Amino acid sequence: MVALMGSVGLTPTLNALAAGKQVALSNKEPIVMAGKLIKDFEALYGGRVLPVDSEPSAIWQCLQGEDNEILRILITASGGPFRTTPLEDIENVTPEQALRHPTWKMGQKITIDSATLMNKAFEVIETHWLFSVPWERIEVVVHPQSTIHSMVEFADGSVKAQLGPPDMRLPIQYALFYPQRLPNSMIPRLDTSISHSLNFDPLEPNRYPCFSLAIEAARKGGTYPAVLSAADEVAVQAFLDGKIGYGGIHHLVEQTLSEHDSLPGETAEEVLQADAWASARAFELASG
C-alpha cells in the first residue's frame, strides 16, 4: 500500500509496478501527476493499481462482474463546508472554517482540498486513468450526505451505486483483501433502521473554481498535472499558514500553471522535474 502524501509516493509506486506487484494506492498524487506513466508500467510489467480512495473504490466495486459499456461515472461530492455559503463571503473564509468538513474526518491538506473541490478534481483524474473512461463520461454530483460514494450508469440506463457511512476502513480492507470480502466488526454499517435522505445537486462551477482549473490542466496532459498537484500542495499550506487567503489558493495554482512550459511527461524524471519546479515557483509566489 502506498499512503505517502505528495509526490514522494510516485517512485515507490512505479518501483512496485515494475516488480509486478499489486499496489493499493491510497494517495491521489501519483496517479494525478503521472497517470499515463503508471498505466504504461502496468501494461509493461504486469503490476496493477488497486484504488483505496473511497470514490474510486466505489466505482471499482460497482464494476465487478460487469463487461458492459459505461455510459457515465457519477462521482459524488459532499460540497464541503461552503456548499451553501454566499459566494461573496467565500473569498474571506478562515482556515478554521475550511477545516470543518461536514461529513468526513481527514487530515488538513485533504480537508482544504475538499472545501475547494480540488480533491474531487483529483478523483476525476484518478477515475479517468484507473478505469480508462473518457473525460466527458465522468461527472461530479453534489451529494451532501456522503452516503453514496459513487455511481456507474450503463448503456441500458441501469445505475449501480456503492453506499456506506463516510469511513475509510471499508475501502482500505477491500483493496487489501481483494477479491475477498471479509467480515469486520470494526467497519461501521449503513443503519437502515433510521430515516435517511439522499439528495443530489448540480455542481456550481463559480463556487469551486479550483475544480475547473484542475480538469483543464489534466486534459492538457504532459507535466501540467504534476504542476497542478505540486502548486496546490504549496497553496494549501500557504493558506493554512495565513500567507494567502482562501481565494488565493486558486489564483496561486492558476499562476503557476500559466508559467509552466510543459514536458511530455513520459518519464518519472520529467514528472518529478516539473513537480520540483512547481513547488519552488509556487512557494516564491506565496512568499511574495
Side-chain angles (χ1 to χ4, degrees):
M1 175 177 283
V2 177
L4 299 166
M5 192 179 82
S7 60
V8 292
L10 177 60
T11 298
T13 299
L14 293 176
N15 287 344
L17 291 173
K21 304 290 187 182
Q22 289 194 135
V23 179
L25 188 60
S26 178
N27 61 316
K28 302 173 178 65
E29 288 86 355
I31 203 158
V32 168
M33 297 169 61
K36 184 179 184 304
L37 185 61
I38 284 175
K39 296 303 288 184
D40 288 346
F41 267 56
E42 282 185 329
L44 188 61
Y45 299 109
R48 182 183 179 190
V49 171
L50 308 179
V52 173
D53 196 13
S54 59
E55 287 78 7
S57 174
I59 295 163
W60 182 34
Q61 293 180 61
C62 288
L63 291 175
Q64 296 303 309
E66 295 286 352
D67 188 20
N68 295 287
E69 179 187 359
I70 297 171
L71 186 64
R72 286 188 304 166
I73 288 182
L74 298 161
I75 302 174
T76 55
S78 71
F82 309 127
R83 179 175 60 87
T84 60
T85 301
L87 291 176
E88 61 270 20
D89 295 337
I90 291 179
E91 191 85 6
N92 299 314
V93 299
T94 66
E96 290 74 23
Q97 291 172 307
L99 288 169
R100 294 176 194 149
H101 196 280
T103 54
W104 288 90
K105 293 181 180 180
M106 306 174 290
Q108 288 190 330
K109 190 338 181 123
I110 193 171
T111 302
I112 301 300
D113 279 347
S114 295
T116 64
L117 246 64
M118 183 68 82
N119 182 61
K120 202 55 53 178
F122 284 0
E123 289 169 4
V124 171
I125 299 169
E126 271 190 287
T127 297
H128 169 73
W129 290 115
L130 286 172
F131 307 109
S132 302
V133 176
W135 297 109
E136 60 272 14
R137 295 197 180 194
I138 307 171
E139 299 180 19
V140 171
V141 59
V142 175
H143 169 55
Q145 292 83 13
S146 298
T147 300
I148 296 176
H149 300 299
S150 279
M151 299 174 278
V152 179
E153 181 180 0
F154 297 96
D156 62 357
S158 179
V159 178
K160 290 173 71 173
Q162 193 269 331
L163 287 74
D167 188 280
M168 284 303 303
R169 281 170 285 189
L170 176 58
I172 291 170
Q173 177 174 293
Y174 187 74
L176 289 176
F177 293 98
Y178 175 80
Q180 293 179 289
R181 289 189 180 272
L182 301 179
N184 185 344
S185 62
M186 298 297 293
I187 295 176
R189 305 302 176 102
L190 182 64
D191 186 355
T192 55
S193 68
I194 61 174
S195 177
H196 290 271
S197 295
L198 301 176
N199 300 103
F200 304 104
D201 296 300
L203 181 68
E204 297 180 59
N206 292 341
R207 186 174 294 277
Y208 306 105
C210 282
F211 178 84
S212 301
L213 178 68
I215 299 301
E216 179 185 357
R219 295 185 74 147
K220 282 183 178 179
T223 49
Y224 283 112
V227 170
L228 168 74
S229 177
D232 176 63
E233 188 170 344
V234 173
V236 168
Q237 191 59 53
F239 170 63
L240 291 170
D241 292 341
K243 295 180 179 178
I244 62 174
Y246 182 76
I249 296 174
H250 167 259
H251 296 306
L252 193 153
V253 175
E254 183 178 45
Q255 181 63 34
T256 307
L257 283 166
S258 72
E259 295 182 15
H260 180 55
D261 293 322
S262 181
L263 300 169
E266 296 175 350
T267 66
E269 289 75 20
E270 288 181 346
V271 172
L272 292 172
Q273 179 182 336
D275 170 82
W277 174 86
S279 294
R281 182 56 184 143
F283 186 80
E284 290 175 359
L285 292 170
S287 301

